[in-house]
Amino acid sequence: MENKEPVIIAGNLSENELHEWMSAKIRAINELKLLNEEKASLELRLVELNGQIRSVSQRSCIAVFQQTRDSIPHR
């Protein structure tokens, strides 16, 4: 089976305008790919940071208890 190339209906665009439009679309697709990769990397880093924050929070916690006077009078 032979692959058919897509048909683009250019409307009133010239060949050069169509080429520029296609080039802009390709640049945007590539930029979107890079941005999604960067986002995934940042999300992974955020998961790591949240784990570090939980760990350090547990280690830095100080338990404070207030002792009250007992209700039994001392003689």
Side-chain angles (χ1 to χ4, degrees):
M1 182 189 245
E2 188 177 319
N3 288 335
K4 294 183 179 180
E5 291 189 9
V7 175
I8 298 174
I9 300 172
N12 61 352
L13 294 178
S14 70
E15 190 174 318
N16 285 337
E17 290 171 327
L18 181 59
H19 182 267
E20 284 301 316
W21 175 82
M22 290 173 60
S23 296
K25 290 294 182 182
I26 291 169
R27 285 191 301 274
I29 289 168
N30 290 333
E31 183 179 3
L32 182 59
K33 180 183 176 204
L34 290 174
L35 289 170
N36 279 320
E37 289 172 357
E38 183 178 357
K39 179 184 175 193
S41 174
L42 289 171
E43 287 173 339
L44 179 60
R45 181 66 181 131
L46 185 58
V47 167
E48 293 169 353
L49 284 173
N50 281 330
Q52 290 175 338
I53 288 170
R54 278 190 297 278
S55 174
V56 173
S57 292
Q58 291 169 353
R59 291 183 309 183
S60 67
C61 184
I62 299 172
V64 177
F65 298 97
Q66 295 202 358
Q67 188 175 14
T68 59
R69 294 181 181 169
D70 56 40
S71 58
I72 302 173
H74 294 281
R75 295 180 194 205

